[in-house]
Amino acid sequence: MNLILSPPDQLFWLVLIISILGLAISFYKIGNNTKLRPILILRGTLFFVLIFLFLNPKIEKSQSKSNDLDWHLYLDRSLSMSYHNQTSVGSLVLGVDQIIAQIQENKARVKVFGFGNNLDSNWTIGNKKVADGSTNIGQVFNHIVESDNDGIAGSIIITDGQANLGAEITSQDLNISSPIHIIGVGNETPLVDVSIHAIDAPPVIIKGENADINVTISSHGNVSERLNVTIYSDKKLVGSKVVTVSGDGSLDRVRFRINPNQTGEVNYRVQVNALSDEINISNNKQLVRIQVLKNEYLIALFTGAPNFNTQIIKKILSINPEYRIDHFVFLNDEYSQPLNTFWDTKYDLIIFDNHPVEDNNKEWNSYLRIFAKKLVAHQTSLTFIVGYDTDESILNSYLSLMDISIKDPVIDLGVEYDWELNSSWDSYFPFHRINNLDVNRESLPPLIAKMEVDSANAIILANFAISEVDFPLLLIGEKTPLRYMIWSSPQLNTFYYKTRESILSELPTEIFSTVFSWLMRTGNGQDFYFRSDKNSYQQGERVTITGKSLRNSETAEEGFLHISHNGKRINTKPIHFNENTGNYFGQFWASQSGQLDYQIELTFGDKLMTVGEGSIQVQESQVELNHVYLNKGPLKTVTEKNNGQFRHWDERSSLIKGISPNSKIETHYSKLVLHDSWWIFSLLIGILSAEWLLRRRLGLM
């Protein structure tokens, strides 16, 4: 205990001298009066206490205490630990329990942690499984650094060093005061494994054009063999190549050139033959999906009677350079092009624009059967854009091909009504720019209702805003394999021109371009295509998502890749644009088994657009089997950099014998400031009270 005083200043000495002189004079004058002497003593004591407090007195005291420190034992519980030839799961569990018991016999304290996907302390409560699908050893080093700040005796890590999730094994000094010892498990020669490491393929290609699929084959273990790599389109063999692999984690690349002859989503299966002593063969086969678009789409446009909608339809179609239009206009009992051209040509889309009409209704009534056969044979989509002159009876016959019919109206026809795009648009075309336009989709130019269509077998994308009446305006549907669209107002041109000079100017083109794209399967209304580099992953693998814009003029300023599991977002990664390939790409780790869903957001200007989504399947407890060996080099470096020792599993006893109790002396300091102390205040009050009582007893008050 120490008393600390502030150095006295001139004021202190002045007050002290005056107080001493005052007390001396007082004693001289009344010192012989025994009744007043106690009062004088109390007053002098009060003055000296107050003068003492001028020195700001403090009392410091220290107290030391010895605390026992814990040893931290970290056990690798990943699947690879159970596949080493020299150490079975049973012997590993028994050996760990013996290590814990031996440390405790040495009178040292130990805490046990397991690590794999995550760090836990379940070993001490009986959970002794060794089956995690990946190894996140980075979290072990983070935990050691945090624990060292609080004080630990040291750390012992039992592992094979296969870190495939999170940070790699550090090769740096962690700047900690406690040692890190490592017990290595397994043989330094890896088990044999070959796998499809990655598939690099364009997300979208044009039919008839060549495209390259680059396949990366990884091989582990002591292997030097020639392997056959094959690629199939469905069940058809597309290509086969031989590659020589050298093992030890080497990556070998094979390139296949494809030229698909079909459109739509094409699945390519890539596989490499398995080796005789290979443990894990589930990663020898992968699927990659590529969207194949046509280089030309043929459209037959039938105009039954002149109307203002025709020009708008052709304007919207002409935006896409891959669309070629054969326009058949009915005038004076004949067509602008011979109908033989129509019957002999395979079209992707047929549009009835104000057609059929009264002047050609008998003709088209006779065509119904052959028209139906043409649709099915050519898998052609069909669009009906109603006009003022459309013959509803014949139109109804053609609608019946799609199981659609015209109903008796429940409202007045020929009258303008407000209308809106409804929620079905957002759910059916979720990745389109319309969903991000900052416009009120419920305040659109009123349009005339021409007919009411039975929508039981269709999807209503837009409807007239009539209270308590579901009156459709824009419908789409699919009667496999045919798709169709119906626009039930003759005022398409009104919608187009009344929005030209407003914030809605892009809306008509975007709506019909999207639906036309869906009808002809050019992109299902999407502006972007994204896909994963494989269809199936092993827990701990890196996933690459690649995407391409169908509108090459647009490049996003930035993008985000959101990853979710069971509806809960678990990660977000950036999306980058590669100017050389024209593709977007993002990467993340397959951290959890099961289905992982991903969503892509891109930023254009100040708008964030959701442009794609998908999912991948992640297999549990497989990637560990690709790396079954003792990764001794990095583990030994860790011990050398952090004052520890490395021992093989068979040599563990020599390390554990040196584990001894350790303690840390902690000294606690406390300081008491006297002028803030309650008992000093009580002392002063007591002196004043005593003086007051004496003066009162002597009759001086």
Side-chain angles (χ1 to χ4, degrees), residues 529-563:
Y529 271 106
F530 282 87
R531 63 157 183 81
S532 55
D533 56 339
K534 296 186 293 185
N535 69 306
S536 177
Y537 295 83
Q538 298 173 12
Q539 197 170 7
E541 275 194 284
R542 188 189 299 273
V543 181
T544 300
I545 304 297
T546 307
K548 188 176 183 65
S549 171
L550 298 183
R551 307 188 182 201
N552 296 326
S553 60
E554 294 181 303
T555 301
E557 298 175 3
E558 62 178 353
F560 303 97
L561 174 61
H562 304 296
I563 302 96

Side-chain angles (χ1 to χ4, degrees), residues 55-269:
L55 297 177
N56 194 23
K58 303 180 185 67
I59 297 176
E60 286 189 349
K61 58 181 180 178
S62 60
Q63 184 177 8
S64 298
K65 182 180 179 182
S66 177
N67 290 327
D68 293 333
L69 298 179
D70 294 323
W71 282 88
H72 282 188
L73 177 65
Y74 299 92
L75 172 63
D76 188 346
R77 302 177 65 172
S78 62
L79 189 67
S80 64
M81 291 284 286
S82 62
Y83 273 85
H84 295 289
N85 293 329
Q86 298 177 348
T87 310
S88 65
V89 176
S91 62
L92 178 66
V93 172
L94 180 62
V96 171
D97 288 339
Q98 290 174 345
I99 289 173
I100 296 172
Q102 188 173 352
I103 293 175
Q104 293 173 340
E105 289 175 2
N106 295 344
K107 307 301 182 182
R109 303 195 332 181
V110 60
K111 286 185 177 179
V112 183
F113 300 91
F115 68 94
N117 303 332
N118 300 292
L119 188 69
D120 61 63
S121 56
N122 297 333
W123 188 272
T124 55
I125 61 175
N127 184 354
K128 299 183 179 182
K129 293 182 179 179
V130 182
D132 275 8
S134 55
T135 310
N136 189 346
I137 200 170
Q139 62 187 344
V140 174
F141 296 119
N142 292 337
H143 190 262
I144 290 174
V145 172
E146 293 173 2
S147 302
D148 186 75
N149 293 331
D150 299 328
I152 56 174
S155 304
I156 305 169
I157 305 175
I158 303 175
T159 182
D160 57 9
Q162 296 306 323
N164 50 44
L165 184 65
E168 296 293 333
I169 299 176
T170 179
S171 60
Q172 304 297 322
D173 184 353
L174 295 178
N175 295 317
I176 58 177
S177 58
S178 59
I180 298 178
H181 305 302
I182 295 179
I183 299 175
V185 177
N187 194 294
E188 295 179 46
T189 302
L191 297 183
V192 171
D193 181 77
V194 294
S195 65
I196 306 294
H197 178 73
I199 302 175
D200 182 17
V204 182
I205 60 177
I206 304 298
K207 178 185 174 182
E209 295 182 356
N210 293 327
D212 290 333
I213 296 181
N214 296 298
V215 181
T216 303
I217 308 297
S218 68
S219 56
H220 295 270
N222 187 10
V223 55
S224 179
E225 292 193 31
R226 290 165 58 87
L227 300 177
N228 191 33
V229 184
T230 54
I231 181 171
Y232 293 83
S233 175
D234 293 327
K235 295 182 179 180
K236 180 182 178 182
L237 179 64
V238 176
S240 177
K241 291 191 177 182
V242 175
V243 60
T244 301
V245 297
S246 55
D248 297 327
S250 65
L251 297 176
D252 298 278
R253 292 172 176 81
V254 178
R255 175 177 295 180
F256 295 97
R257 177 152 291 182
I258 60 172
N259 191 322
N261 57 9
Q262 65 185 93
T263 59
E265 187 176 76
V266 180
N267 294 327
Y268 288 95
R269 184 177 80 255

Side-chain angles (χ1 to χ4, degrees), residues 463-480:
N463 55 279
F464 289 104
I466 303 172
S467 177
E468 299 181 359
V469 176
D470 187 13
F471 197 100
L473 170 62
L474 176 61
L475 306 89
I476 63 171
E478 186 167 6
K479 184 180 178 182
T480 307

Side-chain angles (χ1 to χ4, degrees), residues 417-422 440-448 461-466 471 473-474 487 489 491 495 499 507-508 511-512:
Y417 296 99
D418 292 330
W419 64 282
E420 63 186 14
L421 280 177
N422 57 40
N440 184 357
R441 294 179 352 196
E442 297 179 359
S443 299
L444 302 172
L447 299 176
I448 288 176
L461 301 179
N463 55 279
F464 289 104
I466 303 172
F471 197 100
L473 170 62
L474 176 61
W487 174 265
S489 172
Q491 290 189 312
F495 174 37
T499 56
L507 198 58
I511 289 176
F512 286 95

Side-chain angles (χ1 to χ4, degrees), residues 456-659:
N457 298 316
I459 297 167
I460 303 175
L461 301 179
N463 55 279
F464 289 104
I466 303 172
S467 177
E468 299 181 359
V469 176
D470 187 13
F471 197 100
L473 170 62
L474 176 61
L475 306 89
I476 63 171
E478 186 167 6
K479 184 180 178 182
T480 307
L482 311 178
R483 292 180 175 181
Y484 60 88
M485 181 198 89
I486 304 168
W487 174 265
S488 64
S489 172
Q491 290 189 312
L492 173 60
N493 63 305
T494 301
F495 174 37
Y496 184 86
Y497 285 114
K498 283 193 174 182
T499 56
R500 291 303 294 164
E501 303 300 328
S502 70
I503 59 174
L504 301 171
S505 59
E506 297 181 24
L507 198 58
T509 301
E510 294 298 339
I511 289 176
F512 286 95
S513 294
T514 301
V515 177
F516 288 148
S517 173
W518 175 79
L519 288 167
M520 292 183 284
R521 297 175 171 83
T522 68
N524 290 345
Q526 296 178 219
D527 295 325
F528 295 84
Y529 271 106
F530 282 87
R531 63 157 183 81
S532 55
D533 56 339
K534 296 186 293 185
N535 69 306
S536 177
Y537 295 83
Q538 298 173 12
Q539 197 170 7
E541 275 194 284
R542 188 189 299 273
V543 181
T544 300
I545 304 297
T546 307
K548 188 176 183 65
S549 171
L550 298 183
R551 307 188 182 201
N552 296 326
S553 60
E554 294 181 303
T555 301
E557 298 175 3
E558 62 178 353
F560 303 97
L561 174 61
H562 304 296
I563 302 96
S564 302
H565 183 255
N566 292 333
K568 181 180 179 181
R569 183 173 295 180
I570 59 174
N571 207 346
T572 295
K573 294 294 184 181
I575 287 283
H576 303 284
F577 180 74
N578 188 323
E579 295 184 356
N580 296 326
T581 63
N583 292 338
Y584 295 90
F585 70 94
Q587 294 180 324
F588 64 93
W589 290 100
S591 57
Q592 299 187 32
S593 61
Q595 178 173 301
L596 293 184
D597 302 310
Y598 62 85
Q599 184 183 71
I600 298 98
E601 289 183 335
L602 298 180
T603 302
F604 296 92
D606 58 351
K607 296 186 181 300
L608 187 64
M609 294 175 52
T610 301
V611 298
E613 66 180 12
S615 62
I616 60 169
Q617 291 296 324
V618 182
Q619 301 172 4
E620 184 176 4
S621 304
Q622 291 295 319
V623 73
E624 284 285 323
L625 303 185
N626 302 345
H627 311 282
V628 183
Y629 67 96
L630 174 60
N631 193 16
K632 179 180 176 180
L635 296 178
K636 193 171 182 180
T637 300
V638 171
T639 59
E640 292 171 351
K641 294 285 186 179
N642 295 278
N643 303 315
Q645 301 178 44
F646 178 87
R647 293 287 187 274
H648 286 280
W649 175 255
D650 295 337
E651 305 168 335
R652 60 189 182 277
S653 296
S654 63
L655 174 64
I656 303 304
K657 287 179 181 178
I659 302 301

